[in-house]
Amino acid sequence: MGGHWQGSPPTLNSLTHCNIHSLVIPCSYLAWLVLPQLSHLLITGHGDELPRFLLRSRCRILSLAIGSYETRSDWLSSTLHSPSSTSLIELRILGGTTVWFTAELLAELTYTSSPADVLCPKLKILHLSRARGASGQLGPMIFSRFTHPESHLEHFGYRDLSLERPENSILIEGGFDEFDRHTILAIPNVHVQYSDTWISITRDRTGARSLRVMDSE
C-alpha cells in the first residue's frame, strides 16, 4: 500500500467548525482547521497539508478538486489512502496542474480480480491534467474503471495542452502515452470525444458506443 501521513489530533491552536460542508481554500490554511462535516473541498497551492487535515477532521469527502502547479505522488497517495477518501465520488485535478503518479498508486486505483482492495471504490467522476510518471498504466486503470462490474465511474476527462508541442509532450516525459490512448479508446459502452490535447469519456448504460474526433481547443 502507499505511504500514509502520520497526523496529530487537534491542538489548542486548531479551529473546529462543525457546520462547514463546502470550502474553497489555499491548502496551507488547512493547517489550523478541523472540519468534521466537510464534504466538498477545492484547494489551491501545494497540497502537503491535505492528508494531515483529513486525518484530524475525520470528514467524509465526496468531492475533491486540486488546483496547483504540481501534485506530488506522495501526498496524493496519502490523500487517497485516507479514510476520508473512501466516500470520494468526484476527483478533479484542475487544468494546468501536473500530477505525478507512481506505478504503485495506479495499480491501487485499478480494478482487478480483488475489487475490495481498490482505492476510491465509489468514484464516479475523474478529471486529470498533465499526468506524469507511469506511462502505460494510466490507460489500463481507466479501462478497468469503465469495464469492471463493481466500478461506478461514469465520466473521465483528461487535458494536456503540451501535447500540441511534441518537444514538450508527455509522450516524451513518461506520462500518458500512445498505449494509454489506444487502451482508453478501446473501452466498450462509452461515448468518447477527443482531440490531440484532451479526451472525454462518458459511460452509456444502454451499451451504445460512439467515437468523435474534435479539433483541438
Side-chain angles (χ1 to χ4, degrees):
M1 300 292 286
H4 299 268
W5 288 86
Q6 297 298 316
S8 57
T11 67
L12 294 177
N13 295 323
S14 299
L15 173 63
T16 299
H17 198 302
C18 296
N19 293 315
I20 293 179
H21 298 272
S22 180
L23 186 65
V24 178
I25 192 171
C27 191
S28 59
Y29 290 11
L30 294 176
W32 298 281
L33 295 177
V34 179
L35 306 175
Q37 297 301 316
L38 189 69
S39 58
H40 296 76
L41 176 63
L42 189 161
I43 62 167
T44 59
H46 292 292
D48 297 41
E49 188 57 40
L50 180 57
R52 290 186 285 265
F53 163 76
L54 294 176
L55 189 60
R56 286 195 310 274
S57 296
R58 299 182 181 181
C59 51
R60 296 180 68 253
I61 295 294
L62 301 178
S63 174
L64 175 62
I66 299 171
S68 174
Y69 176 74
E70 184 176 65
T71 299
R72 294 201 323 267
S73 59
D74 56 350
W75 67 260
L76 178 61
S77 178
S78 297
T79 296
L80 298 184
H81 278 93
S82 168
S84 293
S85 295
T86 58
S87 53
L88 194 63
I89 293 175
E90 179 178 5
L91 174 62
R92 296 179 184 267
I93 309 295
L94 303 182
T97 301
T98 298
V99 54
W100 288 92
F101 285 104
T102 62
E104 180 183 19
L105 179 56
L106 284 174
E108 291 172 334
L109 287 166
T110 301
Y111 271 89
T112 64
S113 57
S114 301
D117 298 328
V118 73
L119 280 182
C120 305
K122 297 182 180 180
L123 200 62
K124 291 185 177 181
I125 299 172
L126 176 60
H127 285 190
L128 299 177
S129 168
R130 296 169 58 180
R132 301 290 191 272
S135 60
Q137 288 187 270
L138 181 60
M141 184 271 284
I142 300 302
F143 189 96
S144 78
R145 288 269 172 172
F146 276 107
T147 57
H148 196 281
E150 295 191 29
S151 174
H152 298 278
L153 192 66
E154 296 288 339
H155 186 264
F156 170 71
Y158 182 83
R159 180 179 295 271
D160 189 340
L161 296 180
S162 71
L163 289 174
E164 290 182 319
R165 304 181 301 278
E167 68 276 12
N168 296 324
S169 171
I170 53 176
L171 305 183
I172 297 173
E173 295 177 10
F176 186 72
D177 65 11
E178 283 301 313
F179 175 78
D180 292 311
R181 183 191 295 269
H182 290 309
T183 301
I184 286 176
L185 294 182
I187 297 173
N189 306 328
V190 293
H191 297 292
V192 181
Q193 297 184 75
Y194 75 100
S195 73
D196 291 338
T197 60
W198 61 270
I199 188 167
S200 175
I201 303 175
T202 303
R203 184 191 295 271
D204 190 310
R205 295 287 182 181
T206 68
R209 187 178 191 277
S210 65
L211 185 66
R212 185 179 182 187
V213 181
M214 310 289 288
D215 293 331
S216 298
E217 294 181 357

